[in-house]
Amino acid sequence: MTTLFSLNTLDDAAFAAALTGIYEHSPWIAERAAPRRPFATPAALKLALREVVDSAAEDEQLSLLRAHPELAGKAAIAGELTEESTSEQKASGLNLCSPEEYARLQELNAVYNDKFGFPFILAVKGPTGRGLTRGAIIETFARRLKNTRADEFAEALRQVHRIAEIRLNALLGTEPALGAQVMDWCETIGTWSDDENGLTCAYLTPAHRRTAAQIADWMRQAGMIVHIDAVGNVAGRYASNDPQAKTLMTGSHYDTVRNGGKYDGRLGILLPIAIAAHLHARGERLPFHLDVVGFAEEEGVRFRSTFLGSSAITGRFDAALLDAVDADGITLREAIVAAGHELSAIPGAISAIARKREDLLGFVEVHIEQGPVLLERGLPLGVVTAIAGSSRYLVELAGVASHAGTTPMGMRRDAAAAAAEIVLLVEGRCTGVPALVGTVGQLEVPGGSVNVIPGACRLSLDIRAADDAVRLAAVDDILAGISAICARRGIEEKLWKIVEAEAAPCAPRLMDALGAAIERQGLPRFDLLSGAGHDAMQMAQLTEVAMLFTRCGNGGISHNPLETMTADDAELAAQVLLDFLRSYAV
Ligand code: HGY
Ligand code: MN
Ligand code: MN
């Protein structure tokens, strides 16, 4: 049985020999990593091997890629695959392709090799290590074919490292049990959606309430005391033996954007539940209450205002929002009543949700990075320094709808043309300014027709920055720019501010504790800014906060069905949070 201890104590040649099958036909990688021993953890060993490859010359990296067989290719047919590749391709049924699938793979192999000069490489055992379906493999193959060579070269190397990680797990007999559990739970609730294609779980819809009930159930099974509060937060407590103990909070949101990903928010709820279950199975209690909150609403999809769940926890819930209406004219108040709460009790029940500062030790949120930074650095985890502040607006432009064929260009009051200038204004103002971003995410011509000049156009603004002064200056310039565009074009503008969230710095003491736990996993601490908003920025109004980021695959994409992560990274995040909790000095 190979263990980390044996790998650390073998001589260099025996070490390299023990890792022969980890990187396909490429012994040079383990040979170069050998002198860096001893490795404190498997994660440290994996990182060292990755760093050998990433620091190698490009032609060595290319030879590594070319050492891999095609999927269901000639080598597979000729039975010339390595033992590892044979079992991996078999685990995904690549040895059982239909004639159509086989023909498609051969066609993709040929085009891919011709375009990139190396074979398509994919960890076919997938995010949980249990195997992708042939359909998912073929879809990924076709999607990555569109990459630039530089991007695809980097992605192919990342897939090689993922294959090596899965092979090392098998060699060492280490399975990411907590991580796989969290991935499975994300998969389960990821199938409950407001519409049949893609994951949309908006506030208090049937899918949202089914998800809440399931999260509550998993909390109960983990030995937690659970209730769902008046705004739909699922609040679970893994209680300390000391009833007077203070409380450390963690959690994230379980609502999603339209057609979103399975891990945004949900990872940060399900991962601490898996930790509570782990502690419960051991009868281990903490010197503080561990409260896990599934915040009911963070994305602002249904009622346009964000952080409804966490704002109730911080005592900053805006009661005026109870009259907000969704696209079907249902008010927030009606939605809460439909979710089973007494109308008369609502205002009091919401204010009763608020937590007291003096009861809390802090709030720590685990969340996917939703960007490419950790992925490109080859790091599974990062410590967040601050969460960017954001300003969101809705803009309505009113021009004159008129005949597309008879109205001379100089006589038009075209609302969509004005909107187009505004999109470029936002892009231009925010480009080139560090840690400032601007987005027009919604842009529509209500009731538009092909042959009618748009008389109306609606759009959204989302401006973010690490520094509030930078953000507010950009907002001022953009709003002034919109007025100038509308004045010049004879367009009437109306705009509503829907979100104003200040940047939230993370607490150095909590960051340091997370960083130390990451280093105890044999990984380097890496700090980074969060461009995405999170419940932690709301919780920062009430207590000190910190965030632990996990790496996102597929180029770091998020708010998209392609959002992905691995069970191994979820496992590392769980081990780091567990260590953080056990080491937390009250
Ligand atoms: O938009 C955001 O930053 C978050 O994902 N709601
Ligand atoms: Mn999100
Ligand atoms: Mn989120």
Side-chain angles (χ1 to χ4, degrees), residues 254-268:
Y254 63 91
D255 67 317
T256 72
V257 294
R258 289 187 187 86
N259 197 23
K262 290 185 275 232
Y263 308 104
D264 175 5
R266 281 119 186 256
L267 172 73

Side-chain angles (χ1 to χ4, degrees), residues 253 255-257 264-265 298-299 367 370 532-534 558-559 563:
H253 60 97
D255 67 317
T256 72
V257 294
D264 175 5
E298 186 264 3
E299 301 285 7
H367 203 288
Q370 299 184 292
H534 299 288
S558 180
H559 282 186
E563 184 180 282

Side-chain angles (χ1 to χ4, degrees), residues 32-66:
R32 289 186 201 171
R36 294 178 56 174
R37 292 178 294 161
F39 297 114
T41 62
L45 167 57
K46 291 172 185 176
L47 191 60
L49 293 166
R50 173 191 285 268
E51 286 169 350
V52 164
V53 174
D54 292 352
S55 58
E58 187 168 329
D59 61 340
E60 291 181 304
Q61 293 172 341
L62 185 56
S63 66
L64 168 61
L65 298 183
R66 286 176 171 162

Side-chain angles (χ1 to χ4, degrees), residues 185-516:
W185 282 346
C186 287
E187 204 62 37
T188 299
I189 58 174
T191 56
W192 303 338
S193 175
D194 301 340
D195 50 36
E196 59 281 351
N197 45 11
L199 173 56
T200 304
C201 183
Y203 185 52
L204 293 183
T205 61
H208 184 269
R209 294 184 53 212
R210 183 179 180 191
T211 301
Q214 178 61 75
I215 291 170
D217 203 27
W218 284 328
M219 285 179 169
R220 282 185 205 95
Q221 292 169 32
M224 299 173 85
I225 307 154
V226 192
H227 74 280
I228 298 180
D229 70 23
V231 297
N233 295 321
V234 186
R237 166 162 291 184
Y238 187 72
S240 164
N241 288 325
D242 171 7
Q244 307 309 317
K246 289 202 173 234
T247 301
L248 186 77
M249 292 185 77
T250 183
S252 193
H253 60 97
Y254 63 91
D255 67 317
T256 72
V257 294
R258 289 187 187 86
N259 197 23
K262 290 185 275 232
Y263 308 104
D264 175 5
R266 281 119 186 256
L267 172 73
I269 303 167
L270 299 171
L271 187 139
I273 295 174
I275 288 173
H278 179 79
L279 294 170
H280 182 54
R282 282 152 183 71
E284 182 180 345
R285 293 280 159 173
L286 298 165
F288 46 83
H289 301 308
L290 175 65
D291 279 14
V292 183
V293 181
F295 295 109
E297 198 286 341
E298 186 264 3
E299 301 285 7
V301 167
R302 183 173 177 188
F303 291 101
R304 291 187 180 281
S305 147
T306 60
F307 303 126
L308 283 178
S310 42
S311 67
I313 297 274
T314 59
R316 296 158 61 94
F317 182 87
D318 175 3
L321 284 174
L322 289 169
D323 298 316
V325 290
D326 69 5
D328 301 324
I330 297 168
T331 65
L332 175 53
R333 180 183 286 103
E334 288 162 341
I336 291 176
V337 169
H341 296 282
E342 277 303 309
L343 178 61
S344 57
I346 288 180
I350 291 179
S351 47
I353 295 169
R355 295 300 187 90
K356 296 190 187 72
R357 178 181 298 275
E358 59 272 19
D359 295 346
L360 303 180
L361 295 169
F363 174 79
V364 177
E365 182 171 0
V366 178
H367 203 288
I368 54 170
E369 179 204 331
Q370 299 184 292
V373 174
L374 293 174
L375 183 72
E376 288 178 358
R377 283 176 172 269
L379 294 174
L381 302 175
V383 177
V384 174
T385 55
I387 305 161
S390 67
S391 299
R392 290 188 194 178
Y393 289 81
L394 291 180
V395 183
E396 278 192 1
L397 304 174
V400 176
S402 56
H403 198 296
T406 57
T407 313
M409 293 307 288
M411 293 174 67
R412 296 181 176 208
R413 290 168 57 188
D414 183 336
E421 273 203 74
I422 291 167
V423 172
L424 294 176
L425 163 71
V426 171
E427 182 186 57
R429 177 59 178 79
C430 297
T431 299
V433 179
L436 171 67
V437 290
T439 311
V440 174
Q442 290 176 319
L443 179 60
E444 55 178 332
V445 176
S449 304
V450 172
N451 56 354
V452 176
I453 299 165
C457 193
R458 284 200 285 253
L459 61 135
S460 61
L461 301 176
D462 179 321
I463 314 297
R464 308 188 191 202
D467 178 308
D468 288 337
V470 170
R471 168 172 56 88
L472 295 171
V475 168
D476 288 349
D477 291 349
I478 287 165
L479 297 190
I482 289 172
S483 299
I485 289 165
C486 291
R488 174 165 41 82
R489 286 177 169 271
I491 300 288
E492 278 173 44
E493 61 163 308
K494 271 192 215 159
L495 59 85
W496 296 264
K497 177 166 36 173
I498 51 175
V499 169
E500 180 79 58
E502 293 164 4
C506 292
R509 70 177 180 93
L510 296 175
M511 289 172 60
D512 290 347
L514 281 176

Side-chain angles (χ1 to χ4, degrees), residues 3 27 68 128 312 323 370 410 531 575:
T3 63
H68 285 74
T128 59
D323 298 316
Q370 299 184 292
Q575 294 302 334

Side-chain angles (χ1 to χ4, degrees), residues 157 159 198 280 410 437 529 551:
L157 284 175
Q159 291 298 324
H280 182 54
V437 290
L529 170 76
R551 168 171 47 190

Side-chain angles (χ1 to χ4, degrees), residues 1-8 171-172:
M1 169 75 177
T2 305
T3 63
L4 189 63
F5 177 77
S6 66
L7 289 175
N8 277 329
L171 180 70
L172 295 172

